[in-house]
């Protein structure tokens, strides 16, 4: 979660640099703060360093975790931008300290989802390669694998709807929020279910 908070911060800083607007941080950085707070205060988080089990000693695992977290971070910032879109009234930004125009928020959500989708796809692929090297199969319908695929399909549906049906605005914002809800369940919820990923605590 500490790495996830770092990824959210880095994605936000890139967005701020590109847009020149800091108000997006008002909805993005609290997510990084919550991740850090959970990692620091949750009883599920151990501060003891323990040896890794053999299945975790793989460069493919590192690639899998890094790509997934970068994708999740982009989805987190897209979630924040989508919330801004839903509360923003149409019209240009009257000052540098105000929220970006509603058209900018819509396009920014799309760009963040595309970025996150590419990294999530890479994360699923590297995870499959790691699973094959660790357990001898690429896919086993483990709860976390299944929900990662569900998350992938939610964002794939968002991109498909935008590119082929021209969906914009509130529809895309709602799909972005639904996608991030799937992200949260993929990371937190499935840890309550039995599976090959059950060795992971939610604080990792």
């Amino acid at each position: 979660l500490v790495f996830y908070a770092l990824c959210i911060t880095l994605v936000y800083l890139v967005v701020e640099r590109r847009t020149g607007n800091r108000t997006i941080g008002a909805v993005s950085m609290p997510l990084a703060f919550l991740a850090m707070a959970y990692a620091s205060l949750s009883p599920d988080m151990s501060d003891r360093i323990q040896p890794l089990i053999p299945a975790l000693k793989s460069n493919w695992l590192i690639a899998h975790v890094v790509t997934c977290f970068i994708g999740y971070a982009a989805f987190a910032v897209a979630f924040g931008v989508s919330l801004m879109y839903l509360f923003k009234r149409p019209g240009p930004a009257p000052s540098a300290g105000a929220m970006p125009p509603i058209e900018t928020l819509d396009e920014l959500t799309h760009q963040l989802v595309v970025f996150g989708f590419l990294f999530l796809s890479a994360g699923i692929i590297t995870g499959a390669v790691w699973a094959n090297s660790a357990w001898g199969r690429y896919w086993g319908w483990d709860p976390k694998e299944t929900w990662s695929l569900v998350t992938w399909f939610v964002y794939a549906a968002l991109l498909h709807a935008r590119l082929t049906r021209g969906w914009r605005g509130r529809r895309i914002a709602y799909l972005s929020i639904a996608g991030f809800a799937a992200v949260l369940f993929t990371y937190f919820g499935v840890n309550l279910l039995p599976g090959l990923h059950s060795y992971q605590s939610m604080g990792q």
Side-chain angles (χ1 to χ4, degrees):
L1 282 176
V2 174
F3 180 66
Y4 183 44
L6 175 62
C7 289
I8 293 175
T9 303
L10 292 177
V11 171
Y12 160 68
L13 289 175
V14 172
V15 171
E16 180 190 312
R17 183 175 180 84
R18 290 191 60 186
T19 62
N21 192 294
R22 296 182 178 181
T23 58
I24 297 172
V27 290
S28 300
M29 295 313 297
L31 298 174
F33 171 79
L34 289 174
M36 288 290 292
Y38 186 90
S40 301
L41 303 176
S42 173
D44 296 319
M45 183 68 179
S46 174
D47 58 358
R48 299 178 60 185
I49 299 177
Q50 299 178 353
L52 293 175
I53 64 175
L56 300 182
K57 297 178 180 179
S58 170
N59 290 330
W60 284 110
L61 172 62
I62 297 174
H64 169 62
V65 171
V66 169
T67 51
C68 281
F69 271 127
I70 293 175
Y72 289 167
F75 293 147
V77 179
F79 165 77
V81 174
S82 297
L83 291 180
M84 293 179 69
Y85 181 94
L86 294 177
F87 286 101
K88 169 74 174 179
R89 294 183 178 180
S95 66
M99 287 193 292
I102 199 167
E103 296 81 7
T104 301
L105 294 173
D106 179 63
E107 181 60 26
L108 188 56
T109 298
H110 172 67
Q111 293 176 1
L112 285 165
V113 168
V114 170
F115 180 81
F117 185 77
L118 293 174
F119 274 91
L120 177 60
S121 300
I124 291 176
I125 293 172
T126 54
V129 175
W130 166 52
N132 184 60
S133 65
W135 298 301
R137 90 291 185 275
Y138 289 99
W139 196 269
W141 297 107
D142 179 80
K144 182 154 286 194
E145 293 173 341
T146 302
W147 273 94
S148 294
L149 188 61
V150 169
T151 301
W152 188 90
F153 273 117
V154 172
Y155 284 107
L158 184 156
L159 295 175
H160 177 77
R162 186 178 182 93
L163 294 175
T164 64
R165 294 182 174 272
W167 281 21
R168 293 180 179 275
R170 300 181 73 87
R171 289 178 174 179
I172 294 298
Y174 285 131
L175 279 176
S176 174
I177 293 171
F180 188 63
V183 168
L184 293 178
F185 188 82
T186 299
Y187 189 76
F188 292 102
V190 298
N191 288 291
L192 303 176
L193 304 175
L196 290 175
H197 288 81
S198 61
Y199 57 79
Q200 294 177 324
S201 71
M202 290 190 293
Q204 289 181 313

